[in-house]
Structures are given as structure tokens and as C-alpha cells.
């Protein structure tokens, strides 16, 4: 049995696909225009970058790596990282404050609420530019 194909109508009905298509078009337009800055990219000053790097501890970076597929609960991440769930929750909250993860409370079938972690960024890249003398 083959996988179902995505149609143009799916992009109209399903918001995540619609948003991704909108962002893709905006990015393509900026690339075509050879824009100085790309949409949906965040540029940090050296001081902001230094603060970000200070916050990205090895354990937090591992959480980013583990959460890259999205839809993971804090408990799932804690189990995968072999860490205490409360520590993972605190680190997830800090990564959320930094704008790298989104942590949402969702119903947990008969057990109250659970925190679901979704990555906000797909790539972190570092570029340097020469300072004009």
C-alpha cells in the first residue's frame, strides 16, 4: 500500500502546511531578490550570541537534539536523556525563554495535563563577517 499524497487542497485546509508554504514562498522571494536578510532568521549581536552560548549547556543542547522531531513529552525526553523529569522541565522552560523550543500543556488522557515540547528552530548557523578597516 502506498503512502497518501499531499494535494494542494491539503495546504488550504491544514494550518501547519499552509504556514510552511507561506514561509517557503517568503524565503524564496527573499533569495530571488538577493535580500540582505532572510525572513524568519534571527540575527544576534556578539553580546546576545555570547549569552545564548552561555545558556546552551551540553544537557540543554542534548534536549534540543532529542526534541528535534517534535511532539515529545517532558517525561519522554527525561527518559531518553536519562535525567530527572523536573530538571528536564526546567531546562525545557529555559530553552523556551530563549526561543528555541515551544513547551505546551496538553490534556493527558485521564491524567490531567502533560508538557509537550516542539522545536521552534530547525537550524542554528554561525556566520562571521569581516570588519571593514
Amino acid at each position: 500500500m502506498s503512502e497518501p499524497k499531499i494535494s494542494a487542497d491539503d495546504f488550504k485546509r491544514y494550518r501547519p502546511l499552509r504556514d510552511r508554504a507561506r514561509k517557503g514562498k517568503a524565503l524564496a522571494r527573499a533569495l530571488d531578490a538577493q535580500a540582505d536578510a532572510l525572513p524568519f532568521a534571527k540575527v544576534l549581536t556578539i553580546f546576545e550570541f555570547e549569552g545564548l552560548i552561555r545558556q546552551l549547556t551540553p544537557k540543554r543542547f542534548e534536549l534540543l537534539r532529542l526534541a528535534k522531531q517534535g511532539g515529545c513529552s517532558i517525561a519522554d525526553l527525561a527518559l531518553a536523556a536519562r535525567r530527572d523529569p523536573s530538571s528536564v522541565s526546567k531546562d525545557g522552560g529555559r530553552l523556551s525563554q530563549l526561543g528555541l523550543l515551544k513547551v505546551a500543556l496538553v490534556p493527558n488522557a485521564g491524567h490531567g495535563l502533560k508538557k509537550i515540547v516542539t522545536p521552534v528552530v530547525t537550524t542554528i548557523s554561525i556566520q562571521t563577517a569581516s570588519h571593514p578597516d
Side-chain angles (χ1 to χ4, degrees):
M1 188 162 146
S2 65
E3 291 288 321
K5 296 188 179 187
I6 296 174
S7 70
D9 288 337
D10 292 327
F11 281 90
K12 294 174 187 170
R13 287 190 305 263
Y14 188 57
R15 184 177 177 173
L17 289 177
R18 191 173 59 237
D19 290 346
R20 181 169 281 192
R22 180 184 54 81
K23 288 179 179 180
K25 287 178 185 178
L27 181 60
R29 285 186 194 110
L31 289 170
D32 287 345
Q34 297 179 347
D36 291 334
L38 296 177
F40 315 108
K42 183 174 182 178
V43 177
L44 302 175
T45 67
I46 190 70
F47 301 109
E48 293 168 327
F49 179 73
E50 181 182 4
L52 176 65
I53 292 300
R54 205 175 304 123
Q55 296 294 321
L56 280 178
T57 64
K59 289 183 179 185
R60 288 178 181 160
F61 194 76
E62 180 183 20
L63 289 181
L64 284 175
R65 185 184 59 76
L66 292 170
K68 71 182 176 185
Q69 293 157 359
C72 298
S73 70
I74 292 291
D76 293 338
L77 289 176
L79 186 62
R82 296 186 179 136
R83 294 182 57 202
D84 180 65
S86 65
S87 298
V88 171
S89 182
K90 287 178 188 174
D91 281 344
R94 186 64 191 128
L95 291 169
S96 178
Q97 289 174 343
L98 292 169
L100 301 174
L101 288 180
K102 179 180 166 189
V103 180
L105 288 172
V106 299
N108 187 19
H111 300 287
L113 299 172
K114 65 179 175 180
K115 291 181 180 178
I116 296 294
V117 177
T118 307
V120 173
V121 297
T122 56
T123 304
I124 298 174
S125 62
I126 301 171
Q127 293 182 327
T128 60
S130 311
H131 188 283
D133 290 328

